[in-house]
Every structure is written in structure tokens, then in C-alpha cells.
Amino acid sequence: MIRTLFVLLVLLVLAAAATSVIPHLKMRTELDGAGLEYARRGLEDTGSINLVTAVIVAYRGLDTLGEVVVLFSAATSVMLILSLFPLGRGPTDPSFIVAHTARVLPAPIMLLAVYFTTHSHLSPGGGFPGGTIMASAFLLVMLGSSSTPAGSKILPALEALSGTTFGLLGLWGTMTLGQFLNNRVIGIGNPGYLVSAGIIPLVSLAIGVKVASEFSGIFAAFRKSGGNR
Amino acid sequence: MNPSLASALAVFLGGMMLAASVVVLFVRDLLSAIIITGMISLSASVLFLLMDATDVAITEASIGAVLATLIFLWGKGKMGGRE
Amino acid sequence: MNNTLAFVSVGLMAGGIFLAFLRLLVGKTGPDRAVALDTITLISTNLLVFIALFEERSMLMDVAIVYSVLSFLGVLALARYLDGGLR
Amino acid sequence: MNVFYWTVAGTASGLIIVGLWGVLTRKNILRIGLAFTIADTGVNLLLVWSGYLPGRTTPILNGDVPAAEAVSAVVDPLPQALVLTSIVIGVAVAALFVVVAVLASRRLGTADIRRMKELKW
Amino acid sequence: MSAPAVAGHVLMILGGMILFTSGLGVLRMPDVWNRLHAGTKATTLGSMLFLAGAGCLRPGWIPKLLLIIFFILLTNPVSGHALARAVHILREERPDNLLRDDLENRNEEDEGGGK
């Protein structure tokens, strides 16, 4: 009873706060602040056609490094807990058709993921969506069997390699131009082509591999903690 | 985007999302609640595309359709019968 | 493209989504709702292609490609949960 | 009066309120996680909405949008970049939540948070 | 309108009608098995018709549309099969007038496709 009243009170306070904001809201019609600067100078500064990727990788690259660290710690906690306390009793085998689909389809999905990751400066996509699609390909392999795939042993190595690559690409900017993650270290090239926009495609690839290996590690830990039947 | 078409789609999808989110809290079966949450994420992806956020739409489609649903399903399977 | 004729097709697709959504809400068991989710995602893929046609930017169709692949994975995960593959 | 603009804002706020309501009142621990995910979706929608400008297009400057007119033709790219990372972090945190919930419910034999007395402080 | 535009609009409306019918079937059919028919077979045909109509209207987009059609053709039957099999294993709803059931007495060795 007291709990229900308390919940009602909290929701009422929140609704009142939200209602008091409504008269001050008005529709935005012009860019302002940081968004205006990014839209005006983004293409000249970074050479990336996709302004969202320019913001993620070039302007706010240090923040992205922090986000990757948060993701890393969450994934590591999941893997640690699941390896310390085994749960579950082992999965059943899939049917013939599902097992064979899981052998055929991961290759096109992986191709799609690599396309989205490496073309992040030309079309929608980028490290985070590409990485989750790569993890989905790994997941399809795992749904089509009742054991952990053999390739999951190299996941920690991939994760360390991609994280180190991200850091070293940033330090390269520090050493040559005096700025962390400056993407002009190899020139921005001709915008609109695949080889352009400095180190943005490389950093996107590093982010994608890191996200993919972390999510794949979570799935492999879930599967291993049940024990193979 | 044509304003009237975008408005009609937004009212349609938004109404569906709100109705589904209330149903998630009150449906008896936990598996059904997980499935309906996946549908909310997918509708949110269409709304992101209507708001011209293409990258966010791709991310939400891949996360909401597969990864979040799968993690909750796996957790429910690990829990066994304790509900 | 002709606006009136195009609106007819998008109206039909929205109607299909709505009917499947009703099954998602009232469906008795979990498998009923899984079938309804499958239908909703496939019709939504066509809706995304329609939005790309309407804005005349082929770039927006990348979302539809991702949708068509990953909706399958979601439904496959549901099916594998139901037959005991995720334990 | 732009119907699309305010409809999206209403949907996002409604999702946040419903998610908080679920987190505060539900008993099953996995259902609390689902309500948390719903509130997460609402927050992401609201953030992207704050950068949306009616009548403009995606911030990708290829042949359809020349770079010289970018300032008057594209929506705000900054909130989209923030939400992109927020979604990925959200699902990782949800995975951590699910694992801890499963562990607690297996230890205590129940998924009802009213009976998880040992976790209180 | 030119001939490709007429064909495109006709195909799009036809695809929309089939998609609507599939939604109606999912709502109104009596049990899970019939709903699976409406939800997987009809949407495959409707999607293909709609995407073909879009290809008639914009000939430059045909590669991407073909990619979507390829993925739908490859994935949709598999998900329908997996769902039907899972529902059969659950043994919740079994029609009374079933004449023949190939999965009735399968044993553990028969389903080992994933070794």
C-alpha cells in the first residue's frame, strides 16, 4: 500500500515536471551551437561525407574511446560472472535445415557487415552497427549448433588487437601533429572515394571488430556456462 | 518527406508502441512480454528513419531485433522454471 | 511516382501491420505472438523501401537490407528458444 | 503546428513514463529489465528528436545534398552520434542486468523481488 | 504515365494487397499452423511483388532491391520451418484430424544436423 502510494507520488512529480516544461517548448527550425559548426566545417576538416561518422570518430573520438572502455568493462563482467557460476543444463541440437543455413548464410552477412564498417564515411553505417551485424553472424553460427564454435578462442586476441590499434592510431596523431586522433596524419584525400577521409575507415574498422568480439564473447560465455551436452 | 504521410505514420507507430508498452507490463506470460518488447524496438527503428537518423535506425534495428531479445530469451532459459 | 496510387499501397501495408499487431496483443500463446512478430517485421521492410522511394534517396534502403537479414535472426532465436536451444 | 514533431515527442515521453512505472511496480526481476529497456528506447527517441529539424534531410553530403548548402539542408548530427553509442552501451548494461538477475534468482530459488531479502541493505 | 510506371504501380498495389491479406490471415486463422501459412508464405510473395514494382519505378535501384529479394527468399522459409518445428516440439496444439505426422516418432539420432 505504502509502496503503491510512493510510486504514484513519484510518477505524479515527474509528470508535473514534464508538464511545466511544455509551454517553453518550441520547434527548432535552424541549426545552432556545435551542430552548426559541424555541418559547416565537417566536410573540409575531416573529408568524411557522412557527418555523423565525422562527429563520432574524428571530433568526439576521445569520447568514443571512453564508450568502448565502458562496453569492455560490461562485457568482461558478464564473462567473469558466467565463468565463475555455471548455469543451465545444455542446449538441444537444431534441425537439419537450420544447421545448414547456419553454414551458408554467415558469409553474406559478414560481407554486409564489412561493407557497412569500411564505407562508414560514404554511406550510413559505421563501427557500432557494423560490429553488431558481425556479432549477429557469429550468433547465427552458434544458433545452428549445440556447442561453442571453435573460432571463439581467438576472440580475446581480436579484442586486444583492435583496442590497441585504436590507441596507436590516436597516438600517431599525437606524435606527428600534436593532437590525439587527428585524422589528417595521412591526408584526407578526395572526399567521395573509398580511400579518403584520413584514418576514419581504419578507426571504424577497429571499433567494429572490438564491438563484434565483445558481443560474441558474451554469447560464447552464455553457451559455455550451460556445458555442452 | 511528405508531412502528411510522415505524420500519419508517426501517429500509427506511436500509438502502437504506447499500447504495446502498457501490454508488456500486464501480460501474464514472460515470453510474450519479451516478444512485444522486440516489436517496440523495431517500430522505434522506423521512427528513427522518419526523423532522418539513418545510422541510428540501422543500429536500433540490429540491436533491438536480435541482441536485446536474444539476451533476455537466454536469461529466461537459464532461469529454468523459477518465475 | 503517382502520390494517390502510392498512398493506396502504403495504406494497405499499414492495415496489414495493424491486423498482425492485434494478433500480437491478443494472441493466446507465445508461438502465436512469434508468428505475428515475423509478419510485422516483413511488412515493415517493405514500408522502409517505400519511405526510401518517397524521399528519392537510395541510401535509405540500407536500413531495409539490414532489417531483412536481422528480422530472420530474431525469429530464429525465438524458435531455438522454444525447442530448447538456448539453455 | 507540425503533427509529426509533437507526436514523436509525446511517444517518447510516454515510453519513458511507462518504463519508469514498470520498473517501480513490477515484481518479476526480468520484467523489470524489460521495462528498463522500454525507458531506454524512449530516452533515445527523445534525444534524436531534440536534433530533428522539420523539412530537412539526412546528414550525408553526397550528390543529393551539395556541401555548400549543408547548413540549411541537414538535421543536427550531434545528437545522432551520441545516441548511436548510447544504444550499444544500453544493451551491454542490459546483458549485465540479466546475468546478475539470473544468478540471484537461481541462488534464492525465486524471481520475485519481494522475496530477495538478502539483497536488501 | 509510361508503361514501366503503370506496371510499377500495379505491382506495388498488388503486393500491398497480398501483405494486407497476410495480416488478416494472421489475425483471423484458427490455430498456429494456419497462421504460419499466412504469416510466412504470403509475406514472401507480397514482398517480392512490391519490390519488383519499386524496381520498375526506379531502374537504378535494382541491385539493392535484388539483394533484399535474395535475403528474403533465403531466410523467410527457414524461419517458418524453425517456428513450425518448435511449435510441434512444444506439443501444445495438435489438430485432431491429422492424417499423417512425420515428426511423431523421431528419436534423438534423427535430428543431429549440427554435429
Side-chain angles (χ1 to χ4, degrees), chain D residues 17-105:
Chain D
I17 294 285
V18 172
L20 281 178
W21 177 29
V23 168
L24 290 174
T25 59
R26 294 299 103 184
K27 307 292 186 295
N28 189 322
I29 191 162
L30 271 188
R31 203 175 294 240
I32 291 175
L34 288 177
F36 177 76
T37 309
I38 291 173
D40 199 14
T41 308
V43 170
N44 290 335
L45 268 175
L46 204 58
L47 273 174
V48 171
W49 170 81
S50 76
Y52 173 67
L53 303 168
R56 298 195 176 193
T57 182
T58 312
I60 296 174
L61 309 176
N62 62 354
D64 302 336
V65 182
E69 303 169 8
V71 173
S72 60
V74 300
V75 300
D76 200 342
L78 184 57
Q80 299 187 13
L82 296 181
V83 168
L84 201 58
T85 51
S86 150
I87 292 174
V88 180
I89 301 292
V91 75
V93 172
L96 189 55
F97 180 92
V98 166
V99 170
V100 173
V102 170
L103 197 67
S105 69

Side-chain angles (χ1 to χ4, degrees), chain B:
Chain B
M1 194 72 197
N2 186 342
S4 63
L5 180 63
S7 309
L9 279 178
V11 170
F12 178 66
L13 290 170
M16 285 204 318
M17 284 163 71
L18 285 179
S21 66
V22 175
V23 169
V24 166
L25 304 187
F26 288 101
V27 69
R28 186 151 309 194
D29 185 12
L30 192 58
L31 173 66
S32 307
I34 294 171
I35 295 172
I36 297 173
T37 312
M39 181 259 160
I40 291 175
S41 290
L42 284 166
S43 308
S45 161
V46 181
L47 272 187
F48 282 134
L49 186 69
L50 284 174
M51 282 196 285
D52 295 324
T54 322
D55 308 73
V56 185
I58 292 177
T59 314
E60 179 76 32
S62 63
I63 295 271
V66 186
L67 299 189
T69 309
L70 179 107
I71 283 170
F72 277 100
L73 279 178
W74 218 323
K76 186 179 181 312
K78 294 273 179 207
M79 250 186 199
R82 305 173 188 82
E83 288 186 14

Side-chain angles (χ1 to χ4, degrees), chain A residues 43-56:
Chain A
L43 188 55
E44 298 169 20
D45 278 358
T46 64
S48 163
I49 286 179
N50 189 344
L51 291 179
V52 179
T53 304
V55 173
I56 287 183

Side-chain angles (χ1 to χ4, degrees), chain A residues 78-98:
Chain A
V78 170
M79 288 183 238
L80 180 68
I81 293 174
L82 281 176
S83 64
L84 286 183
F85 305 100
L87 311 164
R89 41 187 175 142
T92 57
D93 282 335
S95 74
F96 182 76
I97 296 178
V98 174

Side-chain angles (χ1 to χ4, degrees), chain E residues 4-102:
Chain E
V6 173
H9 282 113
V10 168
L11 282 174
M12 277 169 68
I13 291 178
L14 210 58
M17 282 167 69
I18 291 177
L19 290 175
F20 178 80
T21 315
S22 78
L24 190 65
V26 167
L27 180 62
R28 291 292 297 163
M29 286 283 187
D31 62 0
V32 175
W33 313 98
N34 291 319
R35 283 176 204 141
L36 264 170
H37 274 277
T40 56
K41 289 186 179 176
T43 45
T44 309
L45 178 61
S47 308
M48 283 168 61
L49 283 177
F50 186 86
L51 297 174
C56 289
L57 288 181
R58 298 269 185 284
W61 293 14
I62 286 180
K64 278 187 180 180
L65 290 169
L66 276 181
L67 192 62
I68 299 178
I69 289 180
F70 169 74
F71 276 127
I72 286 180
L73 267 183
L74 204 59
T75 59
N76 211 5
V78 178
S79 67
H81 156 79
L83 262 180
R85 186 185 166 89
V87 178
H88 188 280
I89 288 175
L90 277 183
R91 292 166 200 275
E92 278 180 357
E93 298 181 41
R94 190 73 65 81
D96 300 329
N97 53 357
L98 199 61
L99 289 183
R100 175 187 163 147
D101 189 355
D102 281 340

